[in-house]
Amino acid sequence: MRQGVPEGSLSTTFASLQKNALARWQQERSSAKPVITVGTATCGRAAGALDVVQAFQDELERHGIDCPVIEVGCMGHCYAEPLVVISKPFRPPICYSRVNPVIAQRLVREYILGDDPCLEFVLGALEPNDLIPSFQDFPRAAYEQKLLLKNCGHINPLDIDHYIANGGYTALVKALQSPPAHIISEIKKSGLRGRGGAGFSTGEKWEVCNGAQGRPKYVICNGDEGDPGAFMDRSILESDPHSVLEGMVIAAYAVGARYGYLYIRAEYPLAVEHTRIALAQARKYNLLGKHILGSDFSFDVTLFEGSGAFVCGEETALISSLEGKSGMPRHRPPYPAVSGLNGKPTVINNVKTLASVPHIINRGADWFAGIGTETSKGTAVFALAGKIVSTGLIEVPMGTTLRQVIFDVGSGIPNNKNFKAVQIGGPSGGCLPESSLDLPVDFNSLTGAGAMMGSGGMVVLDEDDCMVEIARYFLEFTQRESCGKCTFCRLGTRQMLSILDDITKGKGKLKNLETLERLAEDVKAGSLCGLGKTAPNPILTTLRYFRNEYIAHIVEKRCPSLMCRDLLTYYILPDKCERSCDACVGSCAVEAITPNKQRIKVIDQDKCTKCDMCRVACPVQYNAVVKLSPPQKVPVASK
Amino acid sequence: MNQVTLTINGIRITAPEGEKLLWAALDNGIYIPNLCGLKENTEPLAACRLCFVEIQGRNKPVTACTETVTERMVVDTKGEQCLRLAKSGFELLMASHALDCGHCLKNRNCELQRIAHHLRVSLKPRILRKILRDLPVDDSHPAFIYDPNKCVLCGRCIWVCRNHVKSGVFGFAHRGFQRRVTTFGDEPMGRSDCDGCLECVRVCPTGALVERGAVPRLGRTEPVY
């Protein structure tokens, strides 16, 4: 598939696009007027970013200031949303965190009208300067290396010119001027591995598909991210959809595909909307469609909304769902690269894999292979969630240790609690304890420890989290999301769940653990698709690293982390309870708390529903309400 | 068609090229437990996960229904690993199967009984707990009775109904543990446009689909499939 047009004309066509885009970008950003950007990805919107945008616009209008308010994507600092960046001439761009409409009005009055940068709301400056600490001075900057997230929160995802002005689509132009075989060999040389979880070599996949018989070929982008606690793909699609599109077009050119599908789950309405707009813009600029940029290569992408099945993240299930059948995996081989959508060769890659491709083409395979470890190249994007100070999106080179990711980049555990475990790779991953914290994050070492790189969800657990309950939670998820096709996954997960249910309720027996372990191994070995093969991982890893917690539940009927409701009781410490305070009495929905003669509050255990409201209501200076496990520990109350 | 020679359990057999291992073994009198396979179906469902065998050179047991025979392949159907998986899968199925052989019309002609005999395991689960779905028995159709509690979700009935009869009366519905064979909109079988050809009853390995008014068989007979 060589171009029928001279190579020069391709670059000329693109050069004019690029010139316009740069002119628009420069006019918007480097003019004499201030610019406000607000992060309005889902994380920002949830924190009220749209109100902030409105407040800025109203306030600017009231004062008659001409200042564009641009909506951008997620900057990764999701713990501090809504984030606002104000760039003023002769000032470094300053990022403000946790902005609300009132703060927005104040920022307009005091910083844009006046010249007081309101230091009390500042998170950091985007550029080093001698006034405000910049993001580069943050401890996490030493570890972070933003590649895929470079544009996120920087450009307007709804404006293709912003992407082009920041070096977008240059990789596509470069790719279209070289033969497909060269691109495949570059990707192979870069060592890029699939970011969806399994870590299969992307270059090899493309090579197989390129050599496979059958027309037309397809490229599918898998954006069916369903792991609890993972939001990397969503953020990238919301904040920088063109990077994924560019990767798709390059993939299509490399394997000779004519059509592409972007499979995004319908639960991500904003990602769907942004991608739809991006597709329309790319078509308008002839970066998609027939004869892309005047070359002989034609490729078009259709957006497909997945309707909410976790299993559709599995490639064969995804394809079957695209074909209009129920989303159910099938036996591999044949692999989709040989026989995929409609029985034709199909490349199916994760969002992050495709978004890495333009960088490799632009900066070369050797540069990419220089990042990361021996077996895993490039960067890893993680969604930090759970008991961690800086929740949000981070991107670090492969090989960074878990300790660095959690304690240096993510700023550790909040409220002075102790770290207990980190759950990596969603329901298919495992829980790793403190002793595994010095493991480098890459495909091989995590698999060795019983976890999985997965798509990049990282849920941090502290001392208050019960590992048996965590295993039960994730198994309940996989059990519910199992498609039900094969015996092991459909019935095995159900059996394991019923055992775990019993253990968390204090009805477990020691011999159950043996059954659980054996069953988990069999489900892992016997299941048809990746869902079943990895569903027992949370059980196997918690049994491996936290077996004592299982034993405590079974033998002592005690939940060491005071989380399993059936194994604990609420108790008010008489020596701590304040006679004049009735906060807990009012908070109790079932009137189980009454004051005794000394006006010390006492819980009637028969009425108590263990809703935790009294413990929350008890003022911190008293902290009289405690949880006890096992329930028998409660002293007989004096009425 | 070219023939290939392979060894199963030390016995040399020949099979047509491109044949799946399961059918090559069964045609040569070597039994491998299976429920979801149908020889005519060239795209194996691989759902029942019982036909695990060990092939020399592979580190893990594989399903015989998805494996194409190759020249000089050495197969062991009685390896420790593959039997463990088959037994484990079978016990899982039996733990959610409404076991009532005494009153079941399929008694003595049941694939589950045959597998239990072959694997030398009991029909009642030993370690696992019984988890049943307690779905209503559908006896609305004049020709057959459908008991979803006995169904092992092998999908044979669906395949013959769609591919032989070209009717498509039922299909799979729901997800996970709730998955079941049912008609469109969960209508009773009697109200579907099934004309009662009984092809589905013929392929059903268990007592989930039985002919109305059939007499329990007393003698031991080999199942059709």
Side-chain angles (χ1 to χ4, degrees):
Chain A
M1 196 173 287
R2 295 284 296 154
Q3 284 67 55
V5 282
E7 281 173 9
S9 108
L10 193 90
S11 347
T12 330
T13 323
F14 184 70
S16 70
L17 285 179
Q18 209 174 14
K19 206 176 133 208
N20 284 339
L22 267 173
R24 271 198 58 203
W25 172 263
Q26 263 155 15
Q27 191 207 351
E28 216 166 62
R29 294 288 167 117
S30 3
S31 60
K33 58 190 175 193
V35 178
I36 301 173
T37 59
V38 184
T40 56
T42 302
C43 45
R45 290 187 181 198
L50 291 182
D51 293 341
V52 172
V53 172
Q54 192 60 46
F56 269 119
Q57 283 165 345
D58 292 349
E59 191 68 14
L60 289 168
E61 201 179 328
R62 189 172 309 141
H63 295 286
I65 310 168
D66 175 27
C67 162
V69 181
I70 303 169
E71 294 186 27
V72 295
C74 168
M75 292 181 68
H77 297 270
C78 302
Y79 59 94
E81 294 281 2
L83 288 170
V84 172
V85 176
I86 301 182
S87 319
K88 243 185 127 178
F90 313 116
R91 286 272 195 196
I94 304 174
C95 179
Y96 295 92
S97 64
R98 301 187 179 92
V99 178
N100 58 30
V102 178
I103 298 177
Q105 289 172 352
R106 222 178 117 183
L107 285 172
V108 171
R109 283 197 305 269
E110 293 183 10
Y111 185 43
I112 296 186
L113 264 184
D115 204 23
D116 169 17
C118 297
L119 291 173
E120 61 267 46
F121 308 124
V122 169
L123 182 68
L126 298 192
E127 289 161 11
N129 62 90
D130 41 14
L131 176 70
I132 297 163
S134 73
F135 283 132
Q136 282 89 333
D137 302 329
F138 279 32
R140 61 191 278 175
Y143 301 99
E144 278 192 297
Q145 182 171 9
K146 291 207 170 184
L147 208 66
L148 307 187
L149 303 181
K150 188 182 61 123
N151 282 336
C152 296
H154 181 52
I155 61 165
N156 181 357
L158 302 182
D159 195 336
I160 189 170
D161 283 343
H162 280 201
Y163 182 65
I164 294 177
N166 283 281
Y169 287 109
T170 47
L172 174 65
V173 174
K174 199 173 162 191
L176 287 176
Q177 288 170 352
S178 51
H182 176 70
I183 297 168
I184 293 178
S185 81
E186 274 290 288
I187 299 292
K188 262 178 94 171
K189 214 165 73 184
S190 74
L192 175 67
R193 291 171 70 173
R195 297 292 194 253
F200 188 76
S201 158
T202 307
E204 276 176 42
K205 198 185 257 185
W206 289 13
E207 193 171 39
V208 171
C209 184
N210 186 43
Q213 297 296 315
R215 289 278 184 285
K217 290 179 183 174
Y218 299 96
V219 170
I220 299 174
C221 171
N222 182 349
D224 191 64
E225 176 184 56
D227 293 359
F231 44 88
M232 305 75 57
D233 296 356
R234 190 200 70 209
S235 271
I236 293 175
L237 286 169
E238 279 173 3
S239 314
D240 195 11
H242 285 287
S243 67
V244 183
L245 273 187
E246 187 179 359
M248 271 185 94
V249 183
I250 296 172
Y253 175 72
V255 303
R258 174 68 182 83
Y259 301 104
Y261 287 91
L262 248 162
Y263 191 103
I264 305 175
R265 60 194 297 227
E267 291 92 330
Y268 286 172
L270 200 62
V272 170
E273 186 193 320
H274 285 190
T275 317
R276 185 165 283 139
I277 293 169
L279 282 173
Q281 289 174 340
R283 275 190 209 110
K284 200 173 138 204
Y285 278 23
N286 193 214
L287 294 160
L288 272 183
K290 283 184 185 160
H291 303 290
I292 290 177
L293 292 173
S295 70
D296 257 2
F297 172 62
S298 301
F299 178 67
D300 206 351
V301 176
T302 312
L303 185 76
F304 187 93
E305 288 180 53
S307 36
F310 177 67
V311 71
C312 286
E314 204 276 346
E315 54 183 20
T316 56
L318 188 150
I319 287 171
S320 133
S321 140
L322 263 181
E323 286 169 347
K325 302 175 193 154
S326 58
M328 237 168 253
R330 62 160 175 79
H331 180 80
R332 296 181 304 179
Y335 287 90
V338 178
S339 168
L341 185 62
N342 304 328
K344 304 292 182 205
T346 305
V347 158
I348 172 160
N349 278 133
N350 178 265
V351 169
K352 296 182 288 301
T353 320
L354 290 169
S356 308
V357 168
H359 297 280
I360 298 173
I361 300 296
N362 260 338
R363 301 171 77 167
D366 294 328
W367 165 80
F368 191 83
I371 310 170
T373 62
E374 194 60 42
T375 52
S376 312
K377 304 295 184 192
T379 58
V381 181
F382 282 110
L384 297 183
K387 307 280 178 63
I388 188 159
V389 175
S390 305
T391 50
L393 270 195
I394 62 150
E395 185 170 8
V396 291
M398 294 270 188
T400 311
T401 66
L402 284 171
R403 193 183 295 279
Q404 287 163 342
V405 169
I406 294 166
F407 288 94
D408 296 330
V409 183
S411 321
I413 318 292
N415 306 327
N416 287 326
K417 300 277 182 179
N418 286 322
F419 171 87
K420 186 184 240 176
V422 55
Q423 218 282 344
I424 308 174
S428 350
C431 299
L432 298 181
E434 187 149 20
S435 61
S436 305
L437 273 183
D438 291 312
L439 278 181
V441 171
D442 68 11
F443 290 100
N444 298 32
S445 59
L446 288 183
T447 317
M452 198 169 108
M453 179 87 174
S455 53
M458 203 181 261
V459 183
V460 182
L461 308 169
D462 71 3
E463 53 191 291
D464 289 342
D465 291 308
C466 168
M467 298 315 290
V468 185
E469 171 59 25
I470 294 295
R472 197 202 63 82
Y473 168 78
F474 280 108
L475 197 74
E476 190 183 9
F477 178 84
T478 33
Q479 192 266 140
R480 218 176 37 231
E481 291 294 338
S482 159
C483 77
K485 181 174 177 176
C486 81
T487 306
F488 281 100
C489 181
R490 178 181 74 238
L491 302 171
T493 54
R494 185 78 184 77
Q495 289 279 351
M496 292 192 285
L497 181 65
S498 92
I499 295 174
L500 285 179
D501 260 338
D502 278 2
I503 295 177
T504 54
K505 287 182 179 146
K507 294 182 208 153
K509 298 191 180 67
L510 271 181
K511 67 170 192 212
N512 287 160
L513 286 187
E514 211 178 293
T515 315
L516 194 62
E517 208 157 15
R518 201 183 156 88
L519 203 53
E521 278 162 15
D522 287 349
V523 171
K524 203 172 172 168
S527 290
L528 171 68
C529 82
L531 197 158
K533 279 189 210 296
T534 55
N537 280 349
I539 299 182
L540 287 170
T541 48
T542 48
L543 272 174
R544 179 161 150 195
Y545 299 117
F546 301 95
R547 206 182 185 93
N548 52 349
E549 291 202 18
Y550 282 85
I551 309 265
H553 279 77
I554 294 170
V555 180
E556 301 170 52
K557 312 283 177 214
R558 176 174 69 91
C559 176
S561 313
L562 304 174
M563 195 182 187
C564 297
R565 215 183 257 193
D566 293 87
L567 297 184
L568 59 89
T569 322
Y570 283 83
Y571 178 62
I572 299 174
L573 297 168
D575 49 338
K576 282 197 169 179
C577 182
E578 169 61 42
R579 287 153 56 121
S580 61
C581 162
D582 269 349
C584 56
V585 179
S587 76
C588 183
V590 291
E591 297 183 355
I593 306 178
T594 43
N596 66 7
K597 275 181 195 151
Q598 290 85 41
R599 291 209 54 81
I600 301 294
K601 269 61 72 185
V602 179
I603 300 177
D604 182 347
Q605 299 298 344
D606 295 334
K607 284 189 188 166
C608 177
T609 56
K610 303 175 188 177
C611 68
D612 203 45
M613 289 313 290
C614 52
R615 199 181 62 87
V616 175
C618 187
V620 277
Q621 60 266 41
Y622 310 137
N623 255 343
V625 183
V626 291
K627 294 191 265 187
L628 296 175
S629 178
Q632 295 85 334
K633 260 170 108 178
V634 175
V636 178
S638 57
K639 289 267 173 178
Chain B
M1 194 181 265
N2 286 341
Q3 296 278 318
V4 293
T5 315
L6 62 154
T7 318
I8 303 183
N9 298 344
I11 305 164
R12 279 171 70 88
I13 62 163
T14 54
E17 200 176 0
E19 178 87 291
K20 296 289 185 223
L21 181 57
L22 176 65
W23 309 114
L26 291 179
D27 289 347
N28 284 280
I30 301 164
Y31 183 69
I32 298 172
N34 69 93
L35 289 171
C36 65
L38 272 177
K39 199 172 176 179
E40 300 103 303
N41 185 357
T42 49
E43 288 170 19
L45 206 59
C48 72
R49 318 302 291 169
L50 293 179
C51 61
F52 280 106
V53 294
E54 284 165 32
I55 297 176
Q56 212 172 66
R58 306 280 190 91
N59 51 1
K60 283 180 196 156
V62 293
T63 44
C65 63
T66 53
E67 210 57 42
T68 311
V69 290
T70 52
E71 188 66 38
R72 282 196 287 280
M73 189 184 231
V74 180
V75 184
D76 182 7
T77 70
K78 291 176 179 163
E80 195 188 326
Q81 281 183 47
C82 67
L83 281 184
R84 172 179 163 171
L85 282 181
K87 282 177 185 170
S88 180
F90 184 70
E91 190 169 349
L92 282 170
L93 281 175
M94 295 315 292
S96 295
H97 175 79
L99 196 66
D100 185 21
C101 297
H103 298 94
C104 183
L105 289 171
K106 252 325 204 304
N107 193 14
R108 288 171 175 274
N109 185 23
C110 173
E111 197 68 20
L112 294 175
Q113 289 176 338
R114 182 175 181 186
I115 294 170
H117 181 76
H118 175 84
L119 294 173
R120 297 176 197 283
V121 292
S122 109
L123 281 166
K124 286 188 187 137
R126 282 182 307 119
I127 308 164
L128 303 180
R129 48 194 81 182
K130 207 83 185 167
I131 303 176
L132 294 173
R133 286 181 298 173
D134 283 324
L135 297 167
V137 175
D138 183 353
D139 57 356
S140 59
H141 198 278
F144 63 88
I145 299 167
Y146 168 52
D147 183 354
N149 303 306
K150 290 182 182 169
C151 176
V152 290
L153 298 176
C154 68
R156 282 185 186 180
C157 50
I158 295 173
W159 193 85
V160 287
C161 193
R162 291 195 179 164
N163 294 281
H164 273 191
V165 192
K166 311 265 180 217
S167 160
V169 171
F170 37 49
F172 286 120
H174 303 284
R175 199 193 272 176
F177 188 67
Q178 295 306 324
R179 180 167 149 111
R180 70 188 78 136
V181 173
T182 184
T183 54
F184 186 76
D186 268 342
E187 290 272 301
M189 296 279 179
R191 279 168 59 188
S192 68
D193 48 4
C194 167
D195 57 5
C197 70
L198 294 183
E199 271 296 286
C200 54
V201 174
R202 194 174 61 85
V203 295
C204 181
T206 73
L209 285 166
V210 286
E211 199 177 340
R212 188 181 278 278
V215 191
R217 298 187 191 210
L218 298 171
R220 188 177 164 74
T221 48
E222 289 300 307
V224 185
Y225 282 90

